[in-house]
């Protein structure tokens, strides 16, 4: 699939018109999330690395032109003006891992209008969903309160590519591992995995299964103990581990039932068998609410494996994100209809202590004791910096989370900080609104 | 990304053990959805075509072996037994487009145990999410009651690949088009697109924008009328269309506000201008509930564009699907722990009139007046039939929907039909359960 034609048709119809009208002046588009979904006290900026990768490779080739023509049911010559179009604009963006709030631009693209427009759909498809998943995963990290988490989401994500992204985003916010082999090797994440119930079922007994597994895997092993009867499974696992003299690095996995109660009984049994080093891993439909409840109840679970609900960001699987034109040819623009009013002009987010943010104009003086969030990450179509690392993004995430107010951090009914709008942005919004309303009333 | 390493690590650890133990006897795994999510009266089987494509290409290459070894932190030699492993098994499956219910296998894989196990994760990642999205899209088709729908979901899907799938799945259940250019050309779906608010904003006036668009696009055009003031936008669109002598095939798009009221006023204005042929297209956060409400209220909307909520299956973004071992080496197996009991043995779904389904054993005699749903679609690793077409899948979908009881079809609080279990399957489940319980009690 071409990244160029993986776009909405209207980008093409608009850009053909811009080229015909010779409208190639610089345009700035701002990508932001209008409102946070319920159950979110913050968002984690994500998707920038793949977005920059996309922009730096963007080039409309001959086969793309043919596809566009086919989709438009127009002769190839009509679409030929798009041929060779690439992206040589500027991108200012919030680095991955930083927390962002409602209305704050995640990135702003400034480029000749046709370029800035043609990349809209693909940019949104990267940034929206990745920010949604990273934000969900971040809440699991908060819920786990220091205990390690691993990502088991691949099978339930929206296709294998979404699974790759989920593994990366979980690692970005501090997960200790992923079950996804391709993601583990591509992103340098520790790979994690045990065995399925089917494995146990193919042997004559649970014990036979555990022993066979240990024969193939001389290092640390984790036994799944809930295929038939969990308490018996734990006892069998303890016997096999003791017999084989295994312990440190090994574990048992609970995947169903009352995980807290089962973990307590398992801990007691393992300790009684002298297997204090054997870890208890819990999985099975976990999300931040379930993890928080288990932690609160003091369940002796060492590792939480989360999957489905995190990888799909199940309670908020999309964000109300927009890529809005805010300036064209030096003129600030905005949309007025109904509830979807947007503020004009290129912007900056000034972050104060405790995430007291001010959304202002890109060119205004930073308020005292604030730090600007958006940085120039691409100029002339080229990255200004070497590719970011997951470790750097994670460090930014951890620093912002440490500054987050308690009511935004909490798992139940979090309250996000509300950014204020700077006086200058507010004044400009009023001016532009009046100008547009006057023009509309005049029937233009 | 290799399709082979896009898998959970535990598939690899298990398969290495199976190979070491020489456990290569045939295993049957059954992929099914345990329960339907709330708000679903049925599911639409989907994802089989890409799944068969995946299986027919499956081959563990040298670089896959290296990746597996890296993930396992083991020497490459330890993983070498996987090298060259391909899929030469049998697949029985419900063809795409057919309706399926809770507990009914979507597909069953029978192959030497290592092969059948190693393909688990990727198969689930294709079939679960595609069935979820197709089922959501199908409800939109029912809600639209014959009016055409188009897919605008690409920008909010879980990445561009998920966007490709969403476009295909919407077409499979009868959508008239997609905004996604790559999907339109790959799958032969009509491409659909208009213009964004940003397009209007780059011109000095809405009228200038409409006229410029029409200059570039001599065929049918659709004008977005809600950038500033919708009623004025409609009047401007009507004036431009009349001036240019355009009409048939043209349209206006409403993307915000009270779509029903705005559509009524727009229809009146267009008709008064002699533009009875100009269509009204509605978009903006629509799902089956919103579409049904607009249809019920008689809103004069000709085409519904749905996106975000359908492409992400927002209210049920995952399905509780499993890939369970049901038979190994001729011995039926099942899992007993907690609520996740599974029924043993290869199965068949016998469909009676009105979706009165019986889940039985694959080898039992079909009950009277029923049709078996699962067909053999792959044998010896090769497809038994030429690739399926979207048109055939759509025809199957339409036939099953026509037979669906009213309470399962309805948009609000649908009630899915509940399949019954055949006497033979029920008896076998009891026998296997007792055998396993006795063995577990005996401490094996």
């Amino acid at each position: 699939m071409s990244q160029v034609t993986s776009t909405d048709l209207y980008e093409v119809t608009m850009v053909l018109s811009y080229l015909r009208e010779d409208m190639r002046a610089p345009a700035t588009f701002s990508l932001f999330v209008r409102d946070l979904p319920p159950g979110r006290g913050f968002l984690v900026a994500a998707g920038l690395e793949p977005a920059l990768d996309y922009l730096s490779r963007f080039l409309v080739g001959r086969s793309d032109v043919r596809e566009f023509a086919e989709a438009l049911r127009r002769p190839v010559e009509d679409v030929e003006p798009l041929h060779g179009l690439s992206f040589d604009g500027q991108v200012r963006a919030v680095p991955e891992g930083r927390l962002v709030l409602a209305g704050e631009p995640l990135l702003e693209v400034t480029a000749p209008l046709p370029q800035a427009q043609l990349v809209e759909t693909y940019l949104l498809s990267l940034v929206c969903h990745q920010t949604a998943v990273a934000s969900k995963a971040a809440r699991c990290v908060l819920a786990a309160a220091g205990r390690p988490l691993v990502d088991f989401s691949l099978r339930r994500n929206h296709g294998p590519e979404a699974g790759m992204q989920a593994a990366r985003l979980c690692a970005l916010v501090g997960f200790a591992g992923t079950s996804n082999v391709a993601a583990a090797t591509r992103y340098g994440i520790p790979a994690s995995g045990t065995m399925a119930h089917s494995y146990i079922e193919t042997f004559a007994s649970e014990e036979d299964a555990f022993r066979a597994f240990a024969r193939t895997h001389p290092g640390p092993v984790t036994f799944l103990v809930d295929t038939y009867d969990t308490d018996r499974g734990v006892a069998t696992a303890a016997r096999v581990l003791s017999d084989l003299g295994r312990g440190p690095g090994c574990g048992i996995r609970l995947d169903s039932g009352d995980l807290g109660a089962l973990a307590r009984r398992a801990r007691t049994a393992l300790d009684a068998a002298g297997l204090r080093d054997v870890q208890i891993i819990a999985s099975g439909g976990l999300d931040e609410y379930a993890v928080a409840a288990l932690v609160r109840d003091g369940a002796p679970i060492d590792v939480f494996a989360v999957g489905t609900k995190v990888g799909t960001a199940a309670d908020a699987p999309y964000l109300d994100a927009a890529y809005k034109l805010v300036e064209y040819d030096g003129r600030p623009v905005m949309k007025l209809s109904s509830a979807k009013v947007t503020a004009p002009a290129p912007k900056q987010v000034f972050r104060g202590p405790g995430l007291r943010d001010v959304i202002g104009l890109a060119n205004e003086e930073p308020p005292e004791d604030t730090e600007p969030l958006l940085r120039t990450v691409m100029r002339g179509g080229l990255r200004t910096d070497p590719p970011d690392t997951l470790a750097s993004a994670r460090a930014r995430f951890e620093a912002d989370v440490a500054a987050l107010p308690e009511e935004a951090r909490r798992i139940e009914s979090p309250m996000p900080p509300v950014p204020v709008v700077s006086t200058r942005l507010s004044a400009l919004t009023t001016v532009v609104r009046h100008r547009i309303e006057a023009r509309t009333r005049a029937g233009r």
Side-chain angles (χ1 to χ4, degrees), chain A residues 11 57 68 213 275 326 364 375 404 406 430 441:
Chain A
E11 313 290 6
R57 292 163 197 263
F68 286 148
F213 195 81
L275 297 165
V326 294
E364 76 178 84
R375 301 177 43 222
L404 193 64
E406 173 52 32
T430 305
R441 272 196 303 276

Side-chain angles (χ1 to χ4, degrees), chain A residues 199-221:
Chain A
Y199 181 82
I200 308 293
E201 291 162 344
T202 54
F203 290 85
S205 74
E206 209 169 29
E207 179 161 346
D208 288 356
F210 293 162
R211 289 189 183 275
F213 195 81
R215 273 197 293 278
T216 302
H217 302 288
V221 288

Side-chain angles (χ1 to χ4, degrees), chain A residues 136-148:
Chain A
K136 180 76 169 173
R139 283 169 51 78
C140 294
V141 170
L142 294 179
R147 304 191 204 185

Side-chain angles (χ1 to χ4, degrees), chain A residues 325 328 331-336 430-444:
Chain A
L325 182 69
Y328 176 59
R331 175 172 62 89
V333 296
M334 62 191 285
K335 175 164 169 277
L336 289 186
T430 305
V431 168
V432 174
R433 173 200 285 270
H434 288 163
R435 196 172 67 210
I436 295 170
E437 283 173 350
R439 204 173 63 200
T440 310
R441 272 196 303 276
R444 290 205 61 206

